[in-house]
Amino acid sequence: MLMSRQSIVTPLVVVSCMLGIAFMQFPRLQKLLNSRQYIPLATLEKELQQEKVRLDLLKQTPSFGYDNLMANWVYLNFLQYFGDDEIRERTGYSLSPEYFDIILKHDPRFLEAYIALSTSTSLYAGVPERSIALMSESLKSLSPHVPEKSYYIWRYKGIDELLFLGDAKASESSFLMAANWASQYEDEESKFVAFTSQKTAEFLSRNPNSIYAQIATWGMILTNPVDEKTRKRAIDAIEKLGGQVVINPDGTSSIKLPPQD
């Protein structure tokens, strides 16, 4: 009977803690994000500061063993935050890494979170060093098969290092790790990732300032399941580098490289 009570009480404690923190600060932000009327920037900044306080508190909140629950719940909070384009255009995306600091702390195996981390933190918040640091720390807890196809995390890290930090050497190392981890799988998708990652690393080794490598890396972003505004940013970046994104008759896209690297 004692064990039964504990099994019931513990999750209730976890949920109560999470809801308690949310109710302290989140309702006003929720109301704000759902509003489409004009709100003074000072008010928006005040509300976001309150959300920052809530996230800081969540970083210190124990999960009592329910890490996946905490990670999923905070990820849903992030999606709501990131998806409000109207508000984000006025206030920016500075809280993005704060969400993922919590998410990946509780569940570094949350593979789907990493592409959102890279996009929101490197591309939109403009702090790729935070994205890379969070991925680097989480990778210490992972292996080629934990989680399945975790090699993608090395790819995301390599993309951020090359495109947003201009660190070709670090990017080369990340793509080599992606190739190594992907080569341990037998499916066609993994074989393709292993091949392209290896070739990207070799290309960076020979020509670390290659425009072709940058275009190809932006192209990797296009192959991921990203939102439309991220897709547009990637296409714009490719075009600024002299490349061209061509939409094929079957709906797929390909990239036409400039005449010279």
Side-chain angles (χ1 to χ4, degrees), residues 31-49:
K31 182 179 178 181
L32 175 65
L33 294 179
N34 288 335
S35 174
R36 289 299 173 223
Q37 62 185 0
Y38 177 78
I39 301 172
L41 182 58
T43 301
L44 293 176
E45 291 176 344
K46 181 180 178 180
E47 295 290 346
L48 288 175
Q49 182 58 40

Side-chain angles (χ1 to χ4, degrees), residues 37-91:
Q37 62 185 0
Y38 177 78
I39 301 172
L41 182 58
T43 301
L44 293 176
E45 291 176 344
K46 181 180 178 180
E47 295 290 346
L48 288 175
Q49 182 58 40
Q50 291 175 337
E51 175 69 346
K52 174 64 163 60
V53 170
R54 186 184 76 96
L55 292 173
D56 287 342
L57 188 55
L58 277 173
K59 291 177 184 179
Q60 308 303 321
T61 303
S63 65
F64 299 100
Y66 289 86
D67 290 297
N68 288 350
L69 175 63
M70 176 73 85
N72 290 338
W73 182 68
V74 175
Y75 187 65
L76 290 175
N77 285 190
F78 161 76
L79 291 177
Q80 188 171 50
Y81 164 85
F82 184 76
D84 198 309
D85 295 340
E86 184 176 319
I87 299 298
R88 297 286 74 76
E89 285 177 2
R90 299 179 63 195
T91 65

Side-chain angles (χ1 to χ4, degrees), residues 172-216:
E172 177 191 343
S173 296
S174 292
F175 278 109
L176 282 174
M177 289 297 296
N180 179 277
W181 284 25
S183 67
Q184 300 185 37
Y185 291 81
E186 295 299 327
D187 62 282
E188 292 304 314
E189 176 187 354
S190 300
K191 290 179 180 179
F192 177 76
V193 170
F195 175 79
T196 56
S197 296
Q198 181 68 38
K199 291 300 179 183
T200 300
E202 292 174 359
F203 202 76
L204 287 172
S205 177
R206 294 193 302 269
N207 187 359
N209 298 316
S210 170
I211 292 176
Y212 286 177
Q214 294 178 55
I215 291 175

